[in-house]
Amino acid sequence: MSRLLLIVLLACTVASAIGVVYMRHMHRQLFVQLSRLERERDELNIEFGRLQLEQATWAESNRVDQVARERLGMKFPETSDIVVVRP
């Protein structure tokens, strides 16, 4: 009887040790994945900041005016060309 109990306890101890090793391995893998994802997040935040700055530059009114004049041939209408329509 005590021999059977000893075998069961030994099997439980081995199973527990294998479980601990497996969990430590999983912890390491998840930590590596977390580190990679945090690095990717940081890179995306940097790129997002750059894109916001670029958008602000492109949307600047002077830039829009310059593009409208040069590429599209647009200009402000002369005072004589403005017609006010009243209801």
Side-chain angles (χ1 to χ4, degrees):
M1 178 68 179
S2 66
R3 187 174 215 140
L4 180 62
L5 180 63
L6 182 63
I7 290 172
V8 169
L9 289 176
L10 181 62
C12 289
T13 303
V14 169
S16 175
I18 291 172
V20 167
V21 169
Y22 176 74
M23 285 296 133
R24 299 250 323 158
H25 175 69
M26 289 299 295
H27 176 266
R28 286 184 184 126
Q29 283 184 330
L30 291 173
F31 183 76
V32 167
Q33 183 180 5
L34 174 66
S35 298
R36 189 181 72 247
L37 290 173
E38 285 176 339
R39 188 171 48 250
E40 185 178 335
R41 179 205 59 201
D42 293 343
E43 289 171 3
L44 288 172
N45 280 334
I46 290 169
E47 183 179 355
F48 181 67
R50 261 195 342 260
L51 289 173
Q52 283 183 318
L53 182 60
E54 183 179 345
Q55 180 186 24
T57 302
W58 284 101
E60 201 171 270
S61 61
N62 293 339
R63 171 88 176 125
V64 172
D65 185 48
Q66 178 187 6
V67 169
R69 288 177 188 276
E70 291 176 2
R71 291 190 189 166
L72 302 175
M74 298 176 83
K75 63 178 181 151
F76 282 107
E78 299 295 326
T79 308
S80 60
D81 296 333
I82 297 175
V83 177
V84 177
V85 179
R86 298 187 185 256

